[in-house]
Amino acid sequence: MSDHQSGFVVDLEAVRSFGAGLHADLTAHLSPEHDQILRTFVDTPSFGTRTASPDVQAAATLYHHKLIELLDLMDAFVHNGAVFVQAAEEVAAAYAHADQLSGDQFKTSLAVASTKVDDAIWAAQHDPRTGRSA
């Protein structure tokens, strides 16, 4: 915001670009990598499940719980990234719509002012009683 303006300026193209970039990253990298990691760990048997050692079984149980937490965290990260992309798109659309409305209101105000000026010019050039040119 400059010293001569009130309000703020939103760079819609930057918001759109950010959303598109994040969407591309989610689609090209994060989602496929998440799926690959999930398949790897789901398809791989857990270690220590058939051992008689209580220490190894405890470690295997802890490992399994931490793995589930990690996968849940990755799910949340991918999901929240997608929500963030949607939010960026909605913000850009809302600002574009607001700009359109503001522009329309400005055009209407300008047309009303132009009509008033034209009417004032006409009135100055014509006799108010007869309407004839003065």
Side-chain angles (χ1 to χ4, degrees):
M1 182 165 66
S2 76
D3 294 336
H4 305 290
Q5 297 177 351
S6 64
F8 55 93
V9 176
V10 175
D11 184 347
L12 292 180
E13 202 49 47
V15 174
R16 287 184 185 110
S17 178
F18 168 78
L22 181 56
H23 183 265
D25 285 343
L26 284 171
T27 302
H29 303 291
L30 297 175
S31 293
E33 289 172 13
H34 170 263
D35 293 344
Q36 179 61 39
I37 290 168
L38 186 59
R39 279 192 303 277
T40 299
F41 284 111
V42 168
D43 294 341
T44 303
S46 296
F47 78 92
T49 56
R50 296 187 178 157
T51 184
S53 168
D55 291 336
V56 173
Q57 286 180 353
T61 300
L62 179 61
Y63 172 80
H64 179 73
H65 287 291
K66 293 300 179 182
L67 182 60
I68 297 301
E69 288 177 10
L70 173 67
L71 294 174
D72 287 345
L73 182 62
M74 290 177 63
D75 282 341
F77 187 71
V78 170
H79 171 76
N80 291 342
V83 169
F84 203 30
V85 167
Q86 181 65 35
E89 291 170 354
E90 289 176 10
V91 164
Y95 274 111
H97 182 69
D99 285 349
Q100 179 65 40
L101 288 176
S102 178
D104 290 346
Q105 289 173 347
F106 177 75
K107 288 175 187 174
T108 299
S109 296
L110 188 60
V112 168
S114 178
T115 299
K116 288 181 180 180
V117 167
D118 289 345
D119 290 348
I121 291 171
W122 187 89
Q125 295 173 345
H126 293 84
D127 184 307
R129 290 177 293 153
T130 65
R132 293 186 182 159
S133 294

